[in-house]
Amino acid sequence: MRIFISSVRRGLEVERDALPGLIKALGHEPVRFEDFSAQSAPSREACIKGVESSDAYLLILGPHYGTVFPETGQSATHDEWVAAQRAGIARYVFRKSGSTFDVEQQQFEKSLGEYGSGRFYKAFSDVSELQQAVVASIRELEAAPESLDFEPLQETVEVRWLLEEDFRNQFSSAERCLLEIHVVPIHGRPVSARLLDEVGAGLPGQVRNAGLVSAAQGVELDHFEGGVIVRSPAPSRRGGLHETHDGSLAAVLIRKAGGTTVTFRLPGDMMGSILDLNDLSRRLGSALRLAGQVDVSGADRFAIGVGITSTSMVAVGELGRGPRNSVGMHLSSAPLHLEPDETVSRAALDRGAGEVATMLARSLIRTFQNST
């Protein structure tokens, strides 16, 4: 495996230099910015490519946040963490005990969610303890390199579809067709009001880190009965009559009863919305990874439901193929729902998100075509 080592050098020089030899001794390939950059500080592109080409990611938290990239307003380490999240690779966090973190580093640690709470990170006080913790994490990863599995659904699971739940008032009337993804924990613990508030406060940042909205795009956090919601206003559309517009995030909902819902506006043109396999797979994968990052249910298994809120003015197509002159459309405005019939392990919300997303996208398109 290629294992990326992420941290600033200042204050962690000895720790960084102690890990490459250890990782090689375990039979794997260490990846550091020092290995692909002659500069003291790498370019942002080099950092991201290094993470994306790796199989696992080790984050070492020390006292300093690091130099901020003007492109993102974040440090290299922060950008690397976000890239590892988006890629869904295995992530391990190690925190140096006895360190006084600067303000930016405290904020970064807090943004790590349950890693920052201490639930998932491992503390170390010296190089020896760090090496022991890294060895244990790598052995753990070797023992279970992929744990994605499927089991038949043995019980009734309630998927709270948007229109059935009367969420029309949460979206504008112009958004007649939304892709909705529902992740329902199986036998998870209830979410307290306090924890829901904490999750809600961090949700806008999680949405940005997941790449669902740009750093400059505005989002709105609100509470509804039984949960919190982050909305992303629809972008203004410009261009010619036949120009294709991109899809975009509509909203993310987290429910006190458990479960996460992510909704997207579908891409399309003046003739309607387009169901494109690659686009659907990408959106579904990002939604599943976000659900895994914000989930606090403690569940090991999940049911996933996907659908579109209306089939009117929708067609299957390929984006980037030029303008459409004619297309067959659904005349019915009925929604299309894929109810879950099996459960998936937690890996479906992380390393296995891409595989599950592709299967769901294909199933959604096939069901849509069969309903015409």
Side-chain angles (χ1 to χ4, degrees), residues 149-154 301-302 341-345:
D149 64 75
F150 304 82
E151 293 181 357
L153 191 58
Q154 302 292 337
R301 306 200 67 81
F302 300 83
D341 60 3
E342 59 185 358
T343 66
V344 293
S345 57

Side-chain angles (χ1 to χ4, degrees), residues 212-232:
L212 300 184
V213 297
S214 67
Q217 191 172 344
V219 295
E220 304 168 354
L221 174 65
D222 197 4
H223 289 72
F224 63 93
E225 186 176 354
V228 294
I229 181 172
V230 164
R231 300 183 191 85
S232 177

Side-chain angles (χ1 to χ4, degrees), residues 152-170:
L153 191 58
Q154 302 292 337
E155 58 193 275
T156 301
V157 171
E158 181 186 10
V159 175
R160 305 180 71 180
W161 302 103
L162 296 184
L163 297 185
E164 293 177 0
E165 199 176 35
D166 196 22
F167 260 84
R168 294 178 182 85
N169 60 331
Q170 300 289 346

